Amino acid sequence: TWSSDSSRLYTQGHLCKLLSWQMDGSQSFAPAASASPEGGDSGWFAHANSIAASSRSGLVALGTNVGTVQFWNGKSLTFQRQIKVEPEIPRYATYAIAISPDEKLVAEYGDTSGHLYEIATMERLCKFGNHQGRTWNLAFSPDGQKLAALHDKGDLTLWSIPDGTQLAEWSLKHLRETSVVHWSHAGDRIAVVS
């Protein structure tokens, strides 16, 4: 995902490292932060499954395979804090993540459901969805009032934010793990790129 000023490209690395690529091809990286919910050794290798960057401030979020969402300062590549997702199953993993346009909310979707958190307080605002399997991509509408999710079974689901009420669901064909969902600038259309 791109930095807010498009000067860097962020990717997730092994063991929850945040990688920053400059336009000249040089790379810098942040040391791995502990991804276990307790902050210590989880007893198995943690890695980042998903990444999202804000469009304004340089905030970067990583969703991990051990049920945490990490927040990083993308400019200084420093770890800020993490949210422990409240999973319904053991070994919950976050597969998709998105930061709201106003940078107040983060949405994550894991093995069975999604959760919406307030970034400042790390308070869970709602749980949404009941999808078995992976969710590949999440995207907030430009006004932050809706959230679209693209699931591995070929479903596109639309929720109301912040209450998590399902608004619509469509079954699509020919989707892949690399498929992404995008909103139009006006927020009145959704495109799925496969």
Side-chain angles (χ1 to χ4, degrees), residues 16 35 46-50 62-70 92-95:
C16 295
H47 63 268
N49 288 333
S50 56
L62 296 177
T64 73
N65 69 325
V66 293
T68 60
V69 175
Q70 297 182 351
Y92 180 90
T94 294
Y95 292 110

Side-chain angles (χ1 to χ4, degrees), residues 4 30-31 89 120 135 148 163 178 181 193:
S4 56
I89 62 171
T135 295
D163 63 3
T178 56
V181 60
V193 181

Side-chain angles (χ1 to χ4, degrees), residues 3 5 32 35 48 82 127 135 154-156 179 187:
S3 64
D5 63 1
Q82 71 182 2
K127 174 186 167 190
T135 295
D155 299 328
L156 175 65
S179 299

Side-chain angles (χ1 to χ4, degrees), residues 95-139:
Y95 292 110
I97 194 164
I99 298 171
S100 65
D102 64 5
E103 299 180 6
K104 293 181 180 179
L105 306 174
V106 64
E108 68 81 33
Y109 212 107
D111 293 303
T112 56
S113 60
H115 303 91
L116 183 70
Y117 291 89
E118 186 175 39
I119 294 174
T121 64
M122 297 192 283
E123 175 187 353
R124 185 170 95 169
L125 302 177
C126 72
K127 174 186 167 190
F128 55 92
N130 186 20
H131 178 78
Q132 299 298 315
R134 292 188 178 185
T135 295
W136 291 333
N137 189 247
L138 291 175

